[in-house]
């Protein structure tokens, strides 16, 4: 996805349950990617700028056959097929419920999305350029198996971006090594916008109350697009 000369990319980090406690990666000088959801966004707001209260359009992109429901109003929406395009507040953390996992009937994964910055499209065009949050079939399978998956979505630094065309509806992504802090790697490659986290907690009995929804921030629903593999 490109906005003018800007390209969005994703930094992927996967940790097994046993590795998560053993690794001591180098961390971002101001924020560690392993910080609790919400901590980085809150600190980012303290730096000022046109962020507080801003609603950033986001497209949650999931594999065909899966369904997504946002946590809002104290509960999870009934998961529906397609990719929801929603407005999320910068500095907030949002909980999702993803069902329809391949070969795992009845199971669900509960990712979080934390907005830590925003895009700056031309006035009046924000909904034309949502931040893509890709949740792949592999991500869902790893999370269902108890692995920790972190994706940091960032605007690529044009001076460091690879000179290749980006396919429509495809986000360039690179994988961080287990000993690396994904936020630090993404920050070195560009400007981090959002953090997707999967795994690490069994929410199979979650009702969407309090501790699972991070204060229940507002969700502004725009549309749903067909999922694509």
């Amino acid at each position: 996805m490109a906005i003018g000369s800007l390209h969005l990319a994703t930094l992927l980090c996967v940790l097994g349950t046993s590795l998560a406690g053993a690794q001591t990666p180098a961390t971002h000088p101001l924020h560690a990617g392993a910080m609790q959801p919400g901590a980085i966004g809150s600190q980012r707001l303290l730096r000022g700028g046109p962020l507080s209260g801003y609603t950033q359009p986001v497209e949650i992109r999931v594999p065909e056959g899966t369904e997504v429901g946002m946590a809002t109003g104290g509960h999870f929406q009934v998961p529906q097929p397609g990719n929801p395009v929603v407005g999320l507040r910068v500095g907030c953390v949002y909980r999702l419920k993803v069902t329809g996992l391949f070969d795992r009937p009845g199971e669900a994964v509960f990712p979080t999305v934390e907005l830590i910055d925003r895009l700056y499209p031309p006035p009046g065009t924000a909904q034309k350029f949502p931040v893509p949050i890709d949740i792949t079939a592999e991500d869902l399978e790893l999370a269902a198996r108890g692995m920790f998956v972190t994706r940091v979505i960032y605007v690529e630094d044009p001076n460091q971006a690879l000179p290749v065309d980006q396919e429509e509806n495809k986000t360039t992504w690179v994988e961080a090594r287990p000993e690396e802090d994904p936020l630090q790697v993404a920050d070195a490659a560009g400007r981090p916008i959002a953090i997707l986290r999967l795994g690490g907690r069994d929410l199979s009995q979650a009702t969407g109350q309090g501790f699972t929804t991070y204060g229940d921030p507002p969700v502004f629903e725009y549309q749903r697009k067909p999922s694509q593999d």
Side-chain angles (χ1 to χ4, degrees):
M1 172 183 169
I3 300 178
S5 60
L6 300 184
H7 289 264
L8 290 170
T10 299
L11 193 286
L12 171 66
C13 180
V14 179
L15 285 179
T17 304
S18 60
L19 287 175
Q23 295 291 339
T24 55
T27 59
H28 188 279
L30 296 178
H31 315 294
M35 293 172 67
Q36 288 293 321
I40 297 172
S42 296
Q43 291 185 20
R44 181 65 183 85
L45 291 178
L46 294 177
R47 294 167 56 185
L51 297 178
S52 181
Y54 183 78
T55 300
Q56 171 63 55
V58 168
E59 180 180 354
I60 310 295
R61 304 200 300 206
V62 296
E64 186 175 5
T66 58
E67 300 179 333
V68 183
M70 303 288 298
T72 181
H75 64 278
F76 287 104
Q77 298 173 332
V78 176
Q80 299 181 30
N83 298 336
V85 181
V86 294
L88 307 182
R89 289 279 174 82
V90 175
C92 295
V93 180
Y94 293 84
R95 177 75 73 183
L96 319 174
K97 181 177 182 179
V98 183
T99 60
L101 309 186
F102 181 69
D103 279 347
R104 292 181 179 271
E107 292 191 28
V109 170
F110 299 85
T112 62
V113 174
E114 179 178 2
L115 268 291
I116 60 174
D117 210 329
R118 53 165 291 189
L119 300 181
Y120 294 88
T125 65
Q127 291 188 35
K128 295 182 180 180
F129 303 106
V131 172
I133 307 291
D134 291 298
I135 304 176
T136 68
E138 182 181 13
D139 293 341
L140 295 171
E141 176 61 23
L142 289 170
R145 285 162 42 195
M147 307 288 278
F148 296 81
V149 180
T150 302
R151 286 183 178 269
V152 180
I153 296 85
Y154 62 95
V155 178
E156 286 186 300
D157 181 341
N159 295 320
Q160 300 187 59
L162 296 175
V164 295
D165 291 333
Q166 191 169 25
E167 297 181 42
E168 185 177 0
N169 295 323
K170 296 290 185 181
T171 304
T172 303
W173 65 274
V174 293
E175 186 167 354
R177 295 188 296 271
E179 68 273 14
E180 293 180 316
D181 178 352
L183 187 63
Q184 183 182 43
V185 177
D187 192 61
R191 180 167 60 90
I193 298 291
I195 303 173
L196 169 71
R197 300 178 176 92
L198 300 94
R201 179 178 292 178
D202 180 9
L203 293 180
S204 59
Q205 304 300 318
T207 61
Q209 301 297 322
F211 72 95
T212 65
T213 58
Y214 296 97
D216 202 22
V219 177
F220 302 89
E221 298 187 48
Y222 300 139
Q223 60 175 310
R224 278 191 184 250
K225 297 182 179 180
S227 299
Q228 298 180 355
D229 280 339

